[in-house]
Amino acid sequence: MNRQLIEDTFRLLQTEMSPIAGIQLYLSPAECEQLLAVLERHDLEYDRKVHLLGIYTILTVAAQRHMECVPHHPELTRNILDGDYLYSFYLQFAVKCRELDLVAYLAPSIKKLQIRRSNGDFTEQNPAAGIEEFLLQERSQRSRTSKAI
Amino acid sequence: MKLHEALNIDLNEINREIENLVARDKDVPKKSQLAQSILELVGSGGKRLRPLMVIVGGRFGRKPSGRRTLQLSAAAEFIHAASLIHDDIIDDAELRRGGAALHVKTGVLSAVHIGNYMSARVIELLSKYTGDKNRYVHDLSAVATAQLCLGEYQQMEHAFDYNLTLEQYLEKSRNKTAMLMATCLRVGALSTESSEEVAQLLYAFGEALGMSFQIQDDLLDFTQSADVLGKPAGSDLRHGQVTLPVLFALQDPKLAPAIRTIGPASSEEEVSYVLDLIISSDALARTEAVSQSYLDQAAAIVQQLSDYPAHADLDTLLQYFAGRDH
């Protein structure tokens, strides 16, 4: 099931990304597992799982590419462009998947990550935690709404 | 008269809004390197063309311009400035607007993330506009920025590629420069609830203007002195950027062999020799003619919008872009 989900997600992302960028997305099994565990804890439609894993993948790879931006690195230009493209593609993809509420929720934490990294604090931050918090908030709002009805 | 005066736009108000994007961010300490670097960069000049285009676009809507249009104008400048930070690292440029480039002061890794902060701050700010009808507010950060990156990829892929076609050159220029300007006018218009048709016309106007702007920029590399450019003349050729004057010169069988010898290892003398060859050919006049044809396209769109009083502002923009080399 998870293998199918990962394959479907990566296939969708590769279809949606511009071939001009030529980016091959890759996440290790351990990196995927962080969000897969979150998705299993929530009752979500399959397509939504694909979209959320897609968003998680884009954000994770974007941050990784920009962490590899060191002077004289042979791939410096490509790492900058890949990170830049992926951060804008993240928004495009989220708009297309109608996940703008998630974008709004994650925006402050993504911004704070950039602030910390600009200050030389390279502590790992996994977007899975933010996505889980968003799903929990969404669930409690839905439950409040249904009780009110 | 300066462009903002001719457009009757309060530039100080826009500048305050741009500065407040970082100065009023409660997550950023005022004295931090990040805050200081950004304030220095945005305070160091720049023509604010993109914010002005957002404001002009906002004059075509059914509602008066308000806070949202102003925020979008500041966002446009922030996105542009963030791209300049990353561009300077890619180009290994040590100077920006007469001072040290940001990455020279902070280091590369820090500068990359300061640029990222600026983009992320825009998304955070604009995320408060929710709902389907407000999705356009993200066009600057999503569509226009992605296209800008694609233009950079294309430029990188075609460095020293003397077989580049005219179509490839035009697509690269559209992605790298024109689409952001087009999007500025479009989101400005939508922020004051213009019709989709008007927003599209303004997009096409901005795209034509942006194409002319990029082509003029390519020309300036041949016609202006290093003092005016703020970088050595001919640096596009030196860095392998096959611009429109080079493409036209390549069509001359007498010039092409010399141009094709220029590569990453060419000496200053070799580059200067080829620069002189191109300058004394008809390539610059032909390039100027292409730039003018885009301005003509833009002028035709102004005619289509002549029922709107703000069409005069489009004319002002047109005149400014037409006289950019003078």
Side-chain angles (χ1 to χ4, degrees):
Chain A
M1 177 63 179
N2 280 348
R3 195 173 148 195
Q4 184 68 44
L5 179 65
I6 293 168
E7 282 175 9
D8 287 346
T9 303
F10 278 55
R11 196 177 304 119
L12 176 65
L13 292 177
Q14 292 298 153
T15 310
E16 294 291 329
M17 277 193 308
S18 169
I20 295 170
I23 299 173
Q24 287 298 317
L25 292 170
Y26 171 77
L27 284 189
S28 68
E31 285 167 329
C32 283
E33 191 49 45
Q34 302 210 36
L35 188 76
L36 290 173
V38 170
L39 297 180
E40 278 170 14
R41 287 196 285 272
H42 294 266
D43 181 24
L44 303 168
E45 286 183 9
Y46 185 76
D47 281 355
R48 184 139 198 242
K49 288 183 179 179
V50 170
H51 296 159
L52 294 177
L53 183 57
I55 285 170
Y56 170 80
T57 302
I58 301 166
L59 286 174
T60 304
V61 178
Q64 286 171 350
R65 295 287 158 96
H66 274 171
M67 277 303 290
E68 289 164 17
C69 292
V70 289
H72 313 303
H73 190 294
E75 295 291 322
L76 174 62
T77 297
R78 176 153 275 284
N79 286 336
I80 292 175
L81 290 181
D82 284 359
D84 286 353
Y85 177 76
L86 287 170
Y87 275 124
S88 50
F89 174 61
Y90 151 66
L91 198 52
Q92 270 184 322
F93 186 73
V95 168
K96 190 163 184 184
C97 302
R98 297 180 172 271
E99 290 289 354
L100 278 176
D101 287 345
L102 175 61
V103 168
Y105 189 86
L106 293 180
S109 62
I110 294 175
K111 184 195 72 177
K112 286 177 195 165
L113 171 74
Q114 310 302 343
I115 295 171
R116 283 200 305 278
R117 293 202 167 165
S118 78
N119 280 329
D121 175 355
F122 303 125
T123 318
E124 281 294 318
Q125 184 191 307
N126 196 294
I131 295 175
E132 165 121 70
E133 286 164 19
F134 170 76
L135 289 171
L136 288 169
Q137 188 194 65
E138 192 181 62
R139 192 160 67 188
S140 73
Q141 276 171 351
R142 202 175 296 142
S143 147
R144 272 202 302 272
T145 311
S146 61
K147 273 182 193 160
I149 293 167
Chain B
M1 188 185 276
K2 291 186 175 160
L3 180 61
H4 67 93
E5 292 167 346
L7 293 168
N8 196 23
I9 293 174
D10 182 354
L11 202 60
N12 288 330
E13 188 183 31
I14 293 175
N15 285 336
R16 268 197 308 277
E17 192 70 26
I18 294 168
E19 285 165 14
N20 283 342
L21 280 176
V22 61
R24 295 215 174 143
D25 183 345
K26 59 183 178 1
D27 296 316
V28 175
K30 283 196 167 31
K31 301 277 182 198
S32 66
Q33 174 184 254
L34 181 136
Q36 295 304 314
S37 317
I38 293 173
L39 288 172
E40 268 177 38
L41 176 66
V42 297
S44 66
K47 297 176 283 287
R48 307 286 191 249
L49 284 178
R50 292 153 193 84
L52 293 178
M53 290 169 118
V54 173
I55 302 289
V56 168
R59 291 173 174 173
F60 285 83
R62 290 181 279 249
K63 293 193 167 173
S65 291
R67 182 103 188 103
R68 183 184 302 201
T69 312
L70 188 62
Q71 284 185 329
L72 283 165
S73 78
E77 185 66 16
F78 237 49
I79 287 168
H80 172 60
S83 78
L84 294 181
I85 295 172
H86 289 189
D87 276 357
D88 284 344
I89 301 170
I90 290 170
D91 297 341
D92 201 14
E94 294 188 348
L95 293 174
R96 166 65 58 188
R97 294 172 185 161
L102 197 142
H103 67 95
V104 174
K105 294 185 273 191
T106 67
V108 168
L109 192 56
S110 181
V112 166
H113 289 95
I114 289 174
N116 287 357
Y117 159 79
M118 296 173 82
S119 307
R121 175 73 174 129
V122 167
I123 295 174
E124 180 189 46
L125 184 84
L126 297 180
S127 283
K128 68 182 175 190
Y129 299 112
T130 55
D132 255 9
K133 73 181 177 72
N134 289 324
R135 287 198 308 181
Y136 73 89
V137 299
H138 291 299
D139 283 0
L140 286 169
S141 298
V143 189
T145 311
Q147 294 306 126
L148 203 151
C149 292
L150 295 182
E152 293 285 346
Y153 280 118
Q154 289 166 322
Q155 186 165 296
M156 179 174 71
E157 187 191 334
H158 291 291
F160 298 105
D161 175 8
Y162 298 111
N163 295 319
L164 183 80
T165 65
L166 180 62
E167 288 70 29
Q168 287 171 322
Y169 164 82
L170 294 175
E171 191 193 336
K172 183 266 298 172
S173 301
R174 190 169 290 114
N175 284 332
K176 200 180 139 192
T177 308
M179 285 196 172
L180 180 56
M181 292 188 170
T183 305
C184 284
L185 280 153
R186 179 181 149 77
V187 298
L190 292 174
S191 73
T192 54
E193 300 190 6
S194 78
S195 68
E196 184 57 39
E197 187 193 358
V198 167
Q200 273 311 107
L201 280 171
L202 287 167
Y203 185 92
F205 172 84
E207 187 178 332
L209 222 52
M211 290 300 286
S212 166
F213 184 87
Q214 182 57 55
I215 293 167
Q216 283 295 330
D217 212 51
D218 294 346
L219 266 174
L220 291 176
D221 199 51
F222 288 89
T223 58
Q224 297 282 23
S225 67
D227 285 347
V228 177
L229 289 173
K231 59 180 181 180
S235 56
D236 287 346
L237 185 67
R238 206 169 282 113
H239 289 105
Q241 290 183 33
V242 181
T243 58
L244 196 52
V246 180
L247 282 180
F248 282 139
L250 279 165
Q251 290 173 2
D252 184 336
K254 295 194 289 294
L255 303 186
I259 296 170
R260 287 176 182 277
T261 63
I262 299 299
S266 295
S267 67
E268 282 304 307
E269 290 73 25
E270 287 166 326
V271 173
S272 294
Y273 172 68
V274 169
L275 270 176
D276 288 341
L277 282 181
I278 295 172
I279 290 167
S280 45
S281 73
D282 66 354
L284 302 193
R286 292 175 69 192
T287 303
E288 184 68 55
V290 176
S291 171
Q292 185 57 48
S293 76
Y294 279 107
L295 292 177
D296 293 343
Q297 282 178 32
I301 296 167
V302 178
Q303 285 303 310
Q304 291 183 63
L305 289 164
S306 58
D307 287 347
Y308 292 83
H311 83 278
D313 297 330
L314 300 182
D315 264 331
T316 303
L317 284 172
L318 200 52
Q319 296 311 315
Y320 174 82
F321 277 69
R324 200 172 150 236
D325 55 330
H326 303 146

mmCIF file with all atom_site columns, all heavy atoms in Angstrom, chain B residues 81-101:
data_model
loop_
_atom_site.group_PDB
_atom_site.id
_atom_site.type_symbol
_atom_site.label_atom_id
_atom_site.label_alt_id
_atom_site.label_comp_id
_atom_site.label_asym_id
_atom_site.label_entity_id
_atom_site.label_seq_id
_atom_site.pdbx_PDB_ins_code
_atom_site.Cartn_x
_atom_site.Cartn_y
_atom_site.Cartn_z
_atom_site.occupancy
_atom_site.B_iso_or_equiv
_atom_site.pdbx_formal_charge
_atom_site.auth_seq_id
_atom_site.auth_comp_id
_atom_site.auth_asym_id
_atom_site.auth_atom_id
_atom_site.pdbx_PDB_model_num
ATOM 1   N N   . ALA B 1 81  ? 13.829 41.128 -5.171  1.00 0.00 ? 81  ALA B N   1
ATOM 2   C CA  . ALA B 1 81  ? 15.081 41.291 -4.406  1.00 0.00 ? 81  ALA B CA  1
ATOM 3   C C   . ALA B 1 81  ? 15.645 39.929 -3.984  1.00 0.00 ? 81  ALA B C   1
ATOM 4   O O   . ALA B 1 81  ? 16.860 39.715 -4.023  1.00 0.00 ? 81  ALA B O   1
ATOM 5   C CB  . ALA B 1 81  ? 14.839 42.171 -3.184  1.00 0.00 ? 81  ALA B CB  1
ATOM 6   N N   . ALA B 1 82  ? 14.759 39.004 -3.592  1.00 0.00 ? 82  ALA B N   1
ATOM 7   C CA  . ALA B 1 82  ? 15.219 37.656 -3.214  1.00 0.00 ? 82  ALA B CA  1
ATOM 8   C C   . ALA B 1 82  ? 15.897 36.989 -4.401  1.00 0.00 ? 82  ALA B C   1
ATOM 9   O O   . ALA B 1 82  ? 16.933 36.331 -4.251  1.00 0.00 ? 82  ALA B O   1
ATOM 10  C CB  . ALA B 1 82  ? 14.037 36.812 -2.740  1.00 0.00 ? 82  ALA B CB  1
ATOM 11  N N   . SER B 1 83  ? 15.335 37.196 -5.585  1.00 0.00 ? 83  SER B N   1
ATOM 12  C CA  . SER B 1 83  ? 15.941 36.573 -6.776  1.00 0.00 ? 83  SER B CA  1
ATOM 13  C C   . SER B 1 83  ? 17.301 37.209 -7.084  1.00 0.00 ? 83  SER B C   1
ATOM 14  O O   . SER B 1 83  ? 18.215 36.525 -7.553  1.00 0.00 ? 83  SER B O   1
ATOM 15  C CB  . SER B 1 83  ? 15.008 36.662 -7.985  1.00 0.00 ? 83  SER B CB  1
ATOM 16  O OG  . SER B 1 83  ? 15.037 37.950 -8.558  1.00 0.00 ? 83  SER B OG  1
ATOM 17  N N   . LEU B 1 84  ? 17.442 38.493 -6.774  1.00 0.00 ? 84  LEU B N   1
ATOM 18  C CA  . LEU B 1 84  ? 18.740 39.148 -6.997  1.00 0.00 ? 84  LEU B CA  1
ATOM 19  C C   . LEU B 1 84  ? 19.816 38.574 -6.078  1.00 0.00 ? 84  LEU B C   1
ATOM 20  O O   . LEU B 1 84  ? 20.969 38.401 -6.487  1.00 0.00 ? 84  LEU B O   1
ATOM 21  C CB  . LEU B 1 84  ? 18.629 40.667 -6.761  1.00 0.00 ? 84  LEU B CB  1
ATOM 22  C CG  . LEU B 1 84  ? 17.747 41.464 -7.730  1.00 0.00 ? 84  LEU B CG  1
ATOM 23  C CD1 . LEU B 1 84  ? 17.773 42.945 -7.366  1.00 0.00 ? 84  LEU B CD1 1
ATOM 24  C CD2 . LEU B 1 84  ? 18.177 41.267 -9.172  1.00 0.00 ? 84  LEU B CD2 1
ATOM 25  N N   . ILE B 1 85  ? 19.440 38.286 -4.830  1.00 0.00 ? 85  ILE B N   1
ATOM 26  C CA  . ILE B 1 85  ? 20.410 37.705 -3.881  1.00 0.00 ? 85  ILE B CA  1
ATOM 27  C C   . ILE B 1 85  ? 20.939 36.377 -4.438  1.00 0.00 ? 85  ILE B C   1
ATOM 28  O O   . ILE B 1 85  ? 22.146 36.127 -4.469  1.00 0.00 ? 85  ILE B O   1
ATOM 29  C CB  . ILE B 1 85  ? 19.754 37.469 -2.496  1.00 0.00 ? 85  ILE B CB  1
ATOM 30  C CG1 . ILE B 1 85  ? 19.351 38.800 -1.853  1.00 0.00 ? 85  ILE B CG1 1
ATOM 31  C CG2 . ILE B 1 85  ? 20.698 36.692 -1.573  1.00 0.00 ? 85  ILE B CG2 1
ATOM 32  C CD1 . ILE B 1 85  ? 18.516 38.639 -0.580  1.00 0.00 ? 85  ILE B CD1 1
ATOM 33  N N   . HIS B 1 86  ? 20.020 35.540 -4.889  1.00 0.00 ? 86  HIS B N   1
ATOM 34  C CA  . HIS B 1 86  ? 20.429 34.228 -5.415  1.00 0.00 ? 86  HIS B CA  1
ATOM 35  C C   . HIS B 1 86  ? 21.173 34.379 -6.746  1.00 0.00 ? 86  HIS B C   1
ATOM 36  O O   . HIS B 1 86  ? 22.146 33.661 -7.006  1.00 0.00 ? 86  HIS B O   1
ATOM 37  C CB  . HIS B 1 86  ? 19.205 33.310 -5.546  1.00 0.00 ? 86  HIS B CB  1
ATOM 38  C CG  . HIS B 1 86  ? 18.671 32.850 -4.211  1.00 0.00 ? 86  HIS B CG  1
ATOM 39  N ND1 . HIS B 1 86  ? 17.703 31.888 -4.069  1.00 0.00 ? 86  HIS B ND1 1
ATOM 40  C CD2 . HIS B 1 86  ? 18.992 33.233 -2.952  1.00 0.00 ? 86  HIS B CD2 1
ATOM 41  C CE1 . HIS B 1 86  ? 17.460 31.683 -2.781  1.00 0.00 ? 86  HIS B CE1 1
ATOM 42  N NE2 . HIS B 1 86  ? 18.218 32.511 -2.080  1.00 0.00 ? 86  HIS B NE2 1
ATOM 43  N N   . ASP B 1 87  ? 20.729 35.327 -7.587  1.00 0.00 ? 87  ASP B N   1
ATOM 44  C CA  . ASP B 1 87  ? 21.418 35.580 -8.874  1.00 0.00 ? 87  ASP B CA  1
ATOM 45  C C   . ASP B 1 87  ? 22.877 35.968 -8.646  1.00 0.00 ? 87  ASP B C   1
ATOM 46  O O   . ASP B 1 87  ? 23.770 35.527 -9.378  1.00 0.00 ? 87  ASP B O   1
ATOM 47  C CB  . ASP B 1 87  ? 20.767 36.756 -9.620  1.00 0.00 ? 87  ASP B CB  1
ATOM 48  C CG  . ASP B 1 87  ? 19.572 36.306 -10.424 1.00 0.00 ? 87  ASP B CG  1
ATOM 49  O OD1 . ASP B 1 87  ? 19.308 35.091 -10.441 1.00 0.00 ? 87  ASP B OD1 1
ATOM 50  O OD2 . ASP B 1 87  ? 18.903 37.166 -11.017 1.00 0.00 ? 87  ASP B OD2 1
ATOM 51  N N   . ASP B 1 88  ? 23.103 36.817 -7.661  1.00 0.00 ? 88  ASP B N   1
ATOM 52  C CA  . ASP B 1 88  ? 24.470 37.289 -7.398  1.00 0.00 ? 88  ASP B CA  1
ATOM 53  C C   . ASP B 1 88  ? 25.387 36.143 -6.988  1.00 0.00 ? 88  ASP B C   1
ATOM 54  O O   . ASP B 1 88  ? 26.579 36.139 -7.307  1.00 0.00 ? 88  ASP B O   1
ATOM 55  C CB  . ASP B 1 88  ? 24.476 38.386 -6.312  1.00 0.00 ? 88  ASP B CB  1
ATOM 56  C CG  . ASP B 1 88  ? 23.994 39.718 -6.869  1.00 0.00 ? 88  ASP B CG  1
ATOM 57  O OD1 . ASP B 1 88  ? 23.953 39.866 -8.103  1.00 0.00 ? 88  ASP B OD1 1
ATOM 58  O OD2 . ASP B 1 88  ? 23.662 40.612 -6.062  1.00 0.00 ? 88  ASP B OD2 1
ATOM 59  N N   . ILE B 1 89  ? 24.831 35.181 -6.259  1.00 0.00 ? 89  ILE B N   1
ATOM 60  C CA  . ILE B 1 89  ? 25.638 34.001 -5.883  1.00 0.00 ? 89  ILE B CA  1
ATOM 61  C C   . ILE B 1 89  ? 25.941 33.188 -7.144  1.00 0.00 ? 89  ILE B C   1
ATOM 62  O O   . ILE B 1 89  ? 27.086 32.792 -7.387  1.00 0.00 ? 89  ILE B O   1
ATOM 63  C CB  . ILE B 1 89  ? 24.895 33.128 -4.848  1.00 0.00 ? 89  ILE B CB  1
ATOM 64  C CG1 . ILE B 1 89  ? 24.578 33.937 -3.589  1.00 0.00 ? 89  ILE B CG1 1
ATOM 65  C CG2 . ILE B 1 89  ? 25.726 31.886 -4.496  1.00 0.00 ? 89  ILE B CG2 1
ATOM 66  C CD1 . ILE B 1 89  ? 23.649 33.224 -2.614  1.00 0.00 ? 89  ILE B CD1 1
ATOM 67  N N   . ILE B 1 90  ? 24.914 32.972 -7.954  1.00 0.00 ? 90  ILE B N   1
ATOM 68  C CA  . ILE B 1 90  ? 25.086 32.170 -9.179  1.00 0.00 ? 90  ILE B CA  1
ATOM 69  C C   . ILE B 1 90  ? 26.108 32.829 -10.106 1.00 0.00 ? 90  ILE B C   1
ATOM 70  O O   . ILE B 1 90  ? 26.975 32.166 -10.674 1.00 0.00 ? 90  ILE B O   1
ATOM 71  C CB  . ILE B 1 90  ? 23.718 32.006 -9.889  1.00 0.00 ? 90  ILE B CB  1
ATOM 72  C CG1 . ILE B 1 90  ? 22.810 31.087 -9.063  1.00 0.00 ? 90  ILE B CG1 1
ATOM 73  C CG2 . ILE B 1 90  ? 23.893 31.465 -11.307 1.00 0.00 ? 90  ILE B CG2 1
ATOM 74  C CD1 . ILE B 1 90  ? 21.365 31.035 -9.537  1.00 0.00 ? 90  ILE B CD1 1
ATOM 75  N N   . ASP B 1 91  ? 25.995 34.160 -10.237 1.00 0.00 ? 91  ASP B N   1
ATOM 76  C CA  . ASP B 1 91  ? 26.902 34.876 -11.153 1.00 0.00 ? 91  ASP B CA  1
ATOM 77  C C   . ASP B 1 91  ? 28.253 35.187 -10.520 1.00 0.00 ? 91  ASP B C   1
ATOM 78  O O   . ASP B 1 91  ? 29.110 35.800 -11.157 1.00 0.00 ? 91  ASP B O   1
ATOM 79  C CB  . ASP B 1 91  ? 26.265 36.208 -11.590 1.00 0.00 ? 91  ASP B CB  1
ATOM 80  C CG  . ASP B 1 91  ? 24.984 35.985 -12.365 1.00 0.00 ? 91  ASP B CG  1
ATOM 81  O OD1 . ASP B 1 91  ? 24.794 34.855 -12.868 1.00 0.00 ? 91  ASP B OD1 1
ATOM 82  O OD2 . ASP B 1 91  ? 24.161 36.925 -12.465 1.00 0.00 ? 91  ASP B OD2 1
ATOM 83  N N   . ASP B 1 92  ? 28.421 34.851 -9.250  1.00 0.00 ? 92  ASP B N   1
ATOM 84  C CA  . ASP B 1 92  ? 29.632 35.167 -8.510  1.00 0.00 ? 92  ASP B CA  1
ATOM 85  C C   . ASP B 1 92  ? 29.912 36.676 -8.544  1.00 0.00 ? 92  ASP B C   1
ATOM 86  O O   . ASP B 1 92  ? 31.058 37.113 -8.659  1.00 0.00 ? 92  ASP B O   1
ATOM 87  C CB  . ASP B 1 92  ? 30.826 34.379 -9.100  1.00 0.00 ? 92  ASP B CB  1
ATOM 88  C CG  . ASP B 1 92  ? 31.963 34.243 -8.103  1.00 0.00 ? 92  ASP B CG  1
ATOM 89  O OD1 . ASP B 1 92  ? 31.717 34.506 -6.906  1.00 0.00 ? 92  ASP B OD1 1
ATOM 90  O OD2 . ASP B 1 92  ? 33.086 33.910 -8.513  1.00 0.00 ? 92  ASP B OD2 1
ATOM 91  N N   . ALA B 1 93  ? 28.838 37.453 -8.474  1.00 0.00 ? 93  ALA B N   1
ATOM 92  C CA  . ALA B 1 93  ? 28.965 38.917 -8.524  1.00 0.00 ? 93  ALA B CA  1
ATOM 93  C C   . ALA B 1 93  ? 29.268 39.440 -7.125  1.00 0.00 ? 93  ALA B C   1
ATOM 94  O O   . ALA B 1 93  ? 28.586 39.084 -6.159  1.00 0.00 ? 93  ALA B O   1
ATOM 95  C CB  . ALA B 1 93  ? 27.664 39.531 -9.024  1.00 0.00 ? 93  ALA B CB  1
ATOM 96  N N   . GLU B 1 94  ? 30.276 40.275 -7.034  1.00 0.00 ? 94  GLU B N   1
ATOM 97  C CA  . GLU B 1 94  ? 30.661 40.772 -5.704  1.00 0.00 ? 94  GLU B CA  1
ATOM 98  C C   . GLU B 1 94  ? 29.980 42.082 -5.361  1.00 0.00 ? 94  GLU B C   1
ATOM 99  O O   . GLU B 1 94  ? 29.967 42.501 -4.199  1.00 0.00 ? 94  GLU B O   1
ATOM 100 C CB  . GLU B 1 94  ? 32.178 40.922 -5.639  1.00 0.00 ? 94  GLU B CB  1
ATOM 101 C CG  . GLU B 1 94  ? 32.859 39.563 -5.740  1.00 0.00 ? 94  GLU B CG  1
ATOM 102 C CD  . GLU B 1 94  ? 34.348 39.623 -5.481  1.00 0.00 ? 94  GLU B CD  1
ATOM 103 O OE1 . GLU B 1 94  ? 34.890 40.737 -5.453  1.00 0.00 ? 94  GLU B OE1 1
ATOM 104 O OE2 . GLU B 1 94  ? 34.951 38.557 -5.313  1.00 0.00 ? 94  GLU B OE2 1
ATOM 105 N N   . LEU B 1 95  ? 29.437 42.754 -6.378  1.00 0.00 ? 95  LEU B N   1
ATOM 106 C CA  . LEU B 1 95  ? 28.810 44.062 -6.147  1.00 0.00 ? 95  LEU B CA  1
ATOM 107 C C   . LEU B 1 95  ? 27.334 44.043 -6.502  1.00 0.00 ? 95  LEU B C   1
ATOM 108 O O   . LEU B 1 95  ? 26.911 43.370 -7.433  1.00 0.00 ? 95  LEU B O   1
ATOM 109 C CB  . LEU B 1 95  ? 29.493 45.141 -6.997  1.00 0.00 ? 95  LEU B CB  1
ATOM 110 C CG  . LEU B 1 95  ? 30.940 45.493 -6.652  1.00 0.00 ? 95  LEU B CG  1
ATOM 111 C CD1 . LEU B 1 95  ? 31.498 46.464 -7.678  1.00 0.00 ? 95  LEU B CD1 1
ATOM 112 C CD2 . LEU B 1 95  ? 31.020 46.103 -5.253  1.00 0.00 ? 95  LEU B CD2 1
ATOM 113 N N   . ARG B 1 96  ? 26.565 44.797 -5.737  1.00 0.00 ? 96  ARG B N   1
ATOM 114 C CA  . ARG B 1 96  ? 25.151 45.013 -6.043  1.00 0.00 ? 96  ARG B CA  1
ATOM 115 C C   . ARG B 1 96  ? 24.832 46.462 -5.681  1.00 0.00 ? 96  ARG B C   1
ATOM 116 O O   . ARG B 1 96  ? 25.052 46.881 -4.560  1.00 0.00 ? 96  ARG B O   1
ATOM 117 C CB  . ARG B 1 96  ? 24.296 44.019 -5.248  1.00 0.00 ? 96  ARG B CB  1
ATOM 118 C CG  . ARG B 1 96  ? 22.818 44.262 -5.168  1.00 0.00 ? 96  ARG B CG  1
ATOM 119 C CD  . ARG B 1 96  ? 22.094 44.169 -6.473  1.00 0.00 ? 96  ARG B CD  1
ATOM 120 N NE  . ARG B 1 96  ? 22.226 42.902 -7.177  1.00 0.00 ? 96  ARG B NE  1
ATOM 121 C CZ  . ARG B 1 96  ? 21.760 42.718 -8.424  1.00 0.00 ? 96  ARG B CZ  1
ATOM 122 N NH1 . ARG B 1 96  ? 21.163 43.700 -9.071  1.00 0.00 ? 96  ARG B NH1 1
ATOM 123 N NH2 . ARG B 1 96  ? 21.928 41.544 -9.025  1.00 0.00 ? 96  ARG B NH2 1
ATOM 124 N N   . ARG B 1 97  ? 24.350 47.207 -6.653  1.00 0.00 ? 97  ARG B N   1
ATOM 125 C CA  . ARG B 1 97  ? 23.993 48.620 -6.462  1.00 0.00 ? 97  ARG B CA  1
ATOM 126 C C   . ARG B 1 97  ? 25.107 49.400 -5.760  1.00 0.00 ? 97  ARG B C   1
ATOM 127 O O   . ARG B 1 97  ? 24.877 50.138 -4.788  1.00 0.00 ? 97  ARG B O   1
ATOM 128 C CB  . ARG B 1 97  ? 22.684 48.742 -5.686  1.00 0.00 ? 97  ARG B CB  1
ATOM 129 C CG  . ARG B 1 97  ? 21.487 48.196 -6.456  1.00 0.00 ? 97  ARG B CG  1
ATOM 130 C CD  . ARG B 1 97  ? 20.232 48.149 -5.619  1.00 0.00 ? 97  ARG B CD  1
ATOM 131 N NE  . ARG B 1 97  ? 19.136 47.508 -6.342  1.00 0.00 ? 97  ARG B NE  1
ATOM 132 C CZ  . ARG B 1 97  ? 18.044 47.006 -5.793  1.00 0.00 ? 97  ARG B CZ  1
ATOM 133 N NH1 . ARG B 1 97  ? 17.867 47.071 -4.493  1.00 0.00 ? 97  ARG B NH1 1
ATOM 134 N NH2 . ARG B 1 97  ? 17.103 46.452 -6.523  1.00 0.00 ? 97  ARG B NH2 1
ATOM 135 N N   . GLY B 1 98  ? 26.329 49.163 -6.204  1.00 0.00 ? 98  GLY B N   1
ATOM 136 C CA  . GLY B 1 98  ? 27.454 49.937 -5.706  1.00 0.00 ? 98  GLY B CA  1
ATOM 137 C C   . GLY B 1 98  ? 28.035 49.455 -4.400  1.00 0.00 ? 98  GLY B C   1
ATOM 138 O O   . GLY B 1 98  ? 29.095 49.930 -3.982  1.00 0.00 ? 98  GLY B O   1
ATOM 139 N N   . GLY B 1 99  ? 27.386 48.527 -3.723  1.00 0.00 ? 99  GLY B N   1
ATOM 140 C CA  . GLY B 1 99  ? 27.924 48.007 -2.455  1.00 0.00 ? 99  GLY B CA  1
ATOM 141 C C   . GLY B 1 99  ? 28.245 46.528 -2.601  1.00 0.00 ? 99  GLY B C   1
ATOM 142 O O   . GLY B 1 99  ? 28.017 45.942 -3.656  1.00 0.00 ? 99  GLY B O   1
ATOM 143 N N   . ALA B 1 100 ? 28.774 45.967 -1.521  1.00 0.00 ? 100 ALA B N   1
ATOM 144 C CA  . ALA B 1 100 ? 29.087 44.537 -1.557  1.00 0.00 ? 100 ALA B CA  1
ATOM 145 C C   . ALA B 1 100 ? 27.793 43.737 -1.667  1.00 0.00 ? 100 ALA B C   1
ATOM 146 O O   . ALA B 1 100 ? 26.785 44.071 -1.021  1.00 0.00 ? 100 ALA B O   1
ATOM 147 C CB  . ALA B 1 100 ? 29.836 44.143 -0.291  1.00 0.00 ? 100 ALA B CB  1
ATOM 148 N N   . ALA B 1 101 ? 27.827 42.701 -2.505  1.00 0.00 ? 101 ALA B N   1
ATOM 149 C CA  . ALA B 1 101 ? 26.651 41.826 -2.635  1.00 0.00 ? 101 ALA B CA  1
ATOM 150 C C   . ALA B 1 101 ? 26.393 41.148 -1.291  1.00 0.00 ? 101 ALA B C   1
ATOM 151 O O   . ALA B 1 101 ? 27.318 40.954 -0.492  1.00 0.00 ? 101 ALA B O   1
ATOM 152 C CB  . ALA B 1 101 ? 26.892 40.792 -3.726  1.00 0.00 ? 101 ALA B CB  1
#
